[in-house]
Amino acid sequence: MEPSRQKANPKQLEHLVSLALQQTGIPVEDADLTARILVDADLRGIDSHGVINLYNNYIKGIQSGKINRRPDIKVACGSPTTASVDGDNGLGFVVSHRAMSEAIQMAQQYGTGWATVYNSNHCGAGAYYTLMAAEHNMIGIMYSTGGTTVTGPGGRSRLIGNNVMAFAAPGGKHGPFVLDMAPTMAIANKLHMLDWAGKPMPEGWAVDAEGQPITDPSVYFAEKGAILPLGSTATHGVHKGFGLLLMTDILTGLLSGDGGSMFRRKGEESHAFCALRIDAFPSAGDFHELMDEMIGRIHEAPVAAGADPMKYPGEKENQTYKERSVNGIPLQSHVMESLKQMCSELDLIRAYDALWMD
């Protein structure tokens, strides 16, 4: 049975997230930034990376000491266009925002900027950081390692992280192009959502501890199963998804000296951020017009009978953002219960009660 949902006012939800983080000792500026990034994911419909993770991942991580409340973030420049960022085990949102800001500053001066990050934590959805660059008329690129939950082709145990890649480019008359994905068949939070709804996984998403296909999400959690790379099988190109996961580990973990998701040397999470200034390319004067033409051709492309018109990556999220900004963010009952439990513990019940829209 599908869990019930209630709609939260986006501004009130952002306020609650910030208050909760402040209650655990996070400075106001960092709490406000983290709240803005988390709620942005929910506004875009990326529900797996929004406030669903607030209590169990971030609040409890701070309370246990796993996440450093007041990190001393250090930036070391290797060249005019490259830097490494030591996050000092701080909130991934704060560390990642700093790293992308550094990449953008380098790109403003030199045309491009790259920043690797080590000793960080989970930083939420990649779309937010790449859109930071797009807002400066730049292309933004982001890579991030995740928890070690994915197996390799033909594997039967967890080997590599559910590594993320994101890309954003500014649009013309259309909204920005945003691709935010992990090259795997699923992520753990999507399996949680299916489990809450009493729904099975499609076959080919995950395997059990013996490498056999499973469709019951609860088995994945109970037996420490493994998620499959994008493609799922050799016939459908699983090597492509696996290769992209390895590429992300190389760009984040190996370049930063951490090692990445298979063997960490410098902390829990590693990331990489890139900004490319469009007008630094002498031939890019028609970039926005060409973006409009490309998107126009996508919209006009013929589709099979009964199929919806084609959309470009980010289009659905742009529309969801506008709709939820006005009508509220629907939260599943399990997420509501988690928030209420957190608010009871942190003496924020009044802020919780003020969340809901009529």
Side-chain angles (χ1 to χ4, degrees):
M1 182 178 178
E2 188 71 28
S4 61
R5 291 172 178 258
Q6 197 167 341
K7 289 188 176 181
N9 179 294
K11 291 297 182 185
Q12 293 295 332
L13 184 58
E14 189 175 315
H15 179 61
L16 173 62
V17 174
S18 180
L19 287 178
L21 291 164
Q22 290 176 52
Q23 287 286 78
T24 61
I26 300 296
V28 174
E29 185 177 351
D30 291 351
D32 286 347
L33 173 63
T34 299
R36 187 161 64 249
I37 298 172
L38 263 182
V39 174
D40 182 83
D42 284 311
L43 282 168
R44 295 186 183 282
I46 313 173
D47 299 338
S48 57
H49 284 67
V51 297
I52 186 176
N53 297 311
L54 176 61
Y55 184 40
N56 288 324
N57 287 22
Y58 310 126
I59 297 297
K60 289 185 178 180
I62 296 163
Q63 291 172 328
S64 69
K66 175 178 175 289
I67 297 173
N68 187 354
R69 293 172 170 86
R70 296 177 180 267
D72 180 16
I73 301 171
K74 294 183 175 67
V75 180
C77 294
S79 77
T81 60
T82 57
S84 290
V85 178
D86 178 354
D88 194 27
N89 204 33
L91 274 166
F93 306 92
V94 177
V95 177
S96 295
H97 187 273
R98 172 69 181 276
M100 181 52 98
S101 296
E102 293 287 340
I104 289 169
Q105 288 177 17
M106 289 186 283
Q108 286 172 331
Q109 187 169 0
Y110 298 106
T112 185
W114 275 88
T116 60
V117 179
Y118 61 92
N119 200 9
S120 181
N121 283 283
H122 190 262
C123 63
Y128 186 92
Y129 309 104
T130 56
L131 283 168
M132 287 173 60
E135 289 167 0
H136 286 83
N137 198 35
M138 300 179 185
I139 288 172
I141 305 171
M142 177 260 200
Y143 300 93
S144 182
T145 59
T148 307
T149 58
V150 184
T151 190
R156 64 179 180 87
S157 60
R158 298 180 180 186
L159 173 67
I160 192 169
N162 209 320
N163 297 341
V164 173
M165 53 187 64
F167 175 99
K173 64 183 180 182
H174 301 283
F177 176 108
V178 185
L179 178 65
D180 185 359
M181 58 168 278
T184 59
M185 297 304 292
I187 62 173
N189 271 351
K190 288 190 177 178
L191 304 191
H192 275 305
M193 292 175 180
L194 288 173
D195 197 22
W196 295 341
K199 293 181 179 180
M201 296 183 289
E203 188 168 329
W205 276 24
V207 293
D208 64 16
E210 300 302 319
Q212 297 303 306
I214 53 174
T215 58
D216 184 346
S218 65
V219 173
Y220 167 81
F221 294 107
E223 298 186 7
K224 290 194 174 181
I227 292 169
L228 292 166
L230 192 64
S232 187
T233 66
T235 303
H236 293 102
V238 67
H239 66 283
K240 298 177 183 179
F242 188 55
L244 289 171
L245 291 168
L246 291 169
M247 182 185 77
T248 298
D249 257 10
I250 292 167
L251 289 171
T252 59
L254 274 63
L255 269 184
S256 70
D258 169 71
S261 62
M262 285 188 279
F263 54 100
R264 300 206 181 274
R265 294 177 176 171
K266 295 184 176 181
E268 184 69 19
E269 300 267 351
S270 53
H271 324 293
F273 298 88
C274 174
L276 299 171
R277 201 180 81 228
I278 291 168
D279 62 9
F281 293 83
S283 58
D286 296 329
F287 181 86
H288 295 89
E289 291 82 358
L290 290 170
M291 282 287 293
D292 282 343
E293 184 177 346
M294 181 186 75
I295 290 170
R297 294 197 180 196
I298 292 170
H299 286 164
E300 296 164 5
V303 296
D308 293 330
M310 289 187 196
K311 289 183 170 65
Y312 63 92
E315 184 171 4
K316 179 182 178 182
E317 290 77 9
N318 294 338
Q319 293 169 350
T320 301
Y321 187 96
K322 293 175 183 177
E323 188 274 328
R324 289 189 174 186
S325 294
V326 174
N327 299 321
I329 297 171
L331 298 178
Q332 285 189 345
S333 58
H334 288 79
V335 179
M336 293 162 57
E337 290 167 9
S338 175
L339 290 177
K340 189 170 185 179
Q341 183 179 351
M342 176 194 74
C343 289
S344 296
E345 178 186 317
L346 299 177
D347 195 23
L348 293 172
I349 285 296
R350 286 188 180 181
Y352 176 85
D353 291 339
L355 282 180
W356 313 110
M357 300 182 71
D358 294 332

